Amino acid sequence: MVEQLLFAEYFYQWMKTFKKPAIAPVTYIKYKNTYEHIKNYFGTIELAAVSRQDYQAALNKFAKTHAKRTTAGFHKQMRAAVLDALEENFISTDFTRKAIIGGRDKEKGKAMFLSYSEWKRLVNYTRATSNSYDFIIYLSAMTGLRFAEVLGLTVADIDLKNKSLTVNKTWDYKYHTGFKAPKNSNSVRTIDIDTQTLRVIKKVIRERKFKLLDQKICINTDGKLPVSATINRYLENLCDKLEIPQISFHGLRHTHASILLFKGVNIMSVSKRLGHKDVTTTQSVYLHIIKEMEERETKLITKIMTEAIE
């Protein structure tokens, strides 16, 4: 009977019938995630029994742990199903009407990148622990790899003899579809790693007893990889602990590139290491560092010319 149809059951039938045939598999995963949340928040509440208060309470709960934009997307998917239910006379009122969309504000006040001394404090701490989160942070700070690229590293990607690692895939941490192709053709690359980083990687492989070449080296002891929100919260707390400015995980990549540029590594090499499409991309992203370097060089040139005529 329609009266006994649970909200979660209706949404599941609706998304299978109207959404699955019409949208990309990756997009459909978003609807499946919404379905899981509906089961969690509405439980055994029947579709016809959901009130505006029930709905708003669920949105409020969701908003406590999600960004406002994510909450808006959650609401949009549920509302689409509810409006269809209303049109088909499964319900008599639209309980999603005038819903208030909350959510966590975008993080403010985070530094784009760390200074050299702050970066050193971070890498010296993270290289000395056996925590999988610290290992992930250390790898990005030392290589400039993107979060998805770090998670996608397997035993086969590490060349112990030539002290290098290869990026040829990423891990879909957002929609959980497994390995994916890199961002672009230039993202497929082999980069050199220092001796200390090589030791850290070898230690992890040895301690976790990885035997197969396709094993992901960043998994924790339960064989799982973290989601972006989890690793970013961990990094925030770690920055506070080390008394350095808070940065996002992507800020580790910015830090790596900025340090290389400021230390005199040519922009072509940095661009290749980061896997940028071209040098223009690197120039636009790190314009602030390039300008600072130009100012430093201008002062040096002036000093050299002044000393020459004294």
Side-chain angles (χ1 to χ4, degrees):
M1 294 178 62
V2 172
E3 292 80 7
Q4 297 177 337
L5 186 65
L6 303 184
F7 181 22
E9 291 174 340
Y10 175 79
F11 186 87
Y12 180 76
Q13 294 174 10
W14 174 83
M15 74 175 189
K16 274 205 341 180
T17 304
F18 297 104
K19 290 300 174 182
K20 190 173 184 179
I23 58 179
V26 170
T27 305
Y28 186 64
I29 290 174
K30 296 180 181 180
Y31 284 87
K32 291 171 69 176
N33 290 338
T34 294
Y35 167 64
E36 293 299 325
H37 285 304
I38 291 174
K39 286 197 299 181
N40 181 36
Y41 294 135
F42 294 94
T44 58
I45 300 178
E46 295 173 4
L47 174 64
V50 179
S51 66
R52 285 187 63 204
Q53 187 172 352
D54 293 331
Y55 185 76
Q56 187 64 58
L59 272 185
N60 293 345
K61 189 173 182 180
F62 183 87
K64 287 181 179 179
T65 56
H66 294 82
K68 192 168 186 178
R69 181 178 178 182
T70 306
T71 306
F74 181 49
H75 164 67
K76 181 180 178 181
Q77 291 184 359
M78 289 192 292
R79 181 169 171 75
V82 169
L83 290 178
D84 277 358
L86 182 65
E87 186 175 329
E88 296 178 73
N89 295 318
F90 284 179
I91 53 177
S92 57
T93 58
D94 172 17
F95 54 79
T96 66
R97 185 175 62 89
K98 294 184 178 180
I100 299 170
I101 308 300
R104 296 169 60 182
D105 292 329
K106 187 176 181 180
E107 297 290 345
K108 297 180 180 179
K110 284 188 177 181
M112 183 177 179
F113 57 91
L114 299 174
S115 68
Y116 182 58
S117 61
E118 292 161 349
W119 171 81
K120 283 177 64 178
R121 198 179 310 170
L122 179 67
V123 296
N124 282 323
Y125 177 87
T126 53
R127 73 178 174 83
T129 78
S130 56
N131 184 305
S132 62
Y133 292 176
D134 287 334
F135 179 55
I136 291 169
I137 290 168
Y138 176 81
L139 279 180
S140 182
M142 295 298 290
T143 64
L145 264 61
R146 303 175 178 94
F147 183 51
E149 292 174 340
V150 174
L151 297 191
L153 289 174
T154 61
V155 176
D157 300 324
I158 311 301
D159 188 336
L160 300 177
K161 181 179 179 181
N162 294 309
K163 297 182 182 179
S164 65
L165 61 81
T166 299
V167 177
N168 51 30
K169 58 192 175 305
T170 64
W171 183 258
D172 182 11
Y173 61 89
K174 191 171 184 180
Y175 300 123
H176 314 293
T177 59
F179 287 115
K180 292 178 61 177
K183 189 174 182 180
N184 55 61
S185 58
N186 294 85
S187 295
V188 178
R189 62 202 188 277
T190 296
I191 66 172
D192 296 325
I193 51 179
D194 61 282
T195 302
Q196 182 59 56
T197 298
L198 191 68
R199 288 198 191 104
V200 172
I201 294 174
K202 288 171 69 175
K203 179 184 175 184
V204 168
I205 292 175
R206 182 177 66 253
E207 288 183 349
R208 299 182 190 175
K209 299 179 180 178
F210 292 134
K211 301 294 183 183
L212 304 177
L213 292 178
D214 63 351
Q215 286 183 292
K216 299 181 288 293
I217 66 172
C218 290
I219 57 174
N220 61 22
T221 52
D222 295 326
K224 297 180 180 179
L225 293 169
V227 296
S228 178
T230 300
I231 200 73
N232 271 292
R233 281 196 296 271
Y234 181 86
L235 179 56
E236 289 173 12
N237 294 331
L238 180 57
C239 288
D240 289 341
K241 179 179 180 179
L242 298 176
E243 298 182 342
I244 60 178
Q246 286 190 357
I247 59 170
S248 66
F249 190 88
H250 199 69
L252 299 173
R253 178 173 166 84
H254 286 316
T255 298
H256 183 80
S258 298
I259 288 172
L260 292 181
L261 288 169
F262 204 72
K263 288 292 184 179
V265 178
N266 74 75
I267 194 168
M268 182 75 74
S269 296
V270 174
S271 181
K272 183 178 179 181
R273 187 173 178 89
L274 294 178
H276 280 165
K277 186 176 181 180
D278 49 47
V279 178
T280 304
T281 302
T282 314
Q283 289 174 327
S284 62
V285 174
Y286 299 103
L287 183 62
H288 59 293
I289 292 294
I290 295 171
K291 285 184 176 180
E292 192 172 343
M293 290 169 61
E294 288 177 347
E295 291 173 3
R296 184 178 64 180
E297 295 301 318
T298 298
K299 291 178 181 178
L300 179 59
I301 291 171
T302 302
K303 181 182 178 182
I304 292 172
M305 295 301 103
T306 302
E307 291 174 348
I309 59 176
E310 288 180 347

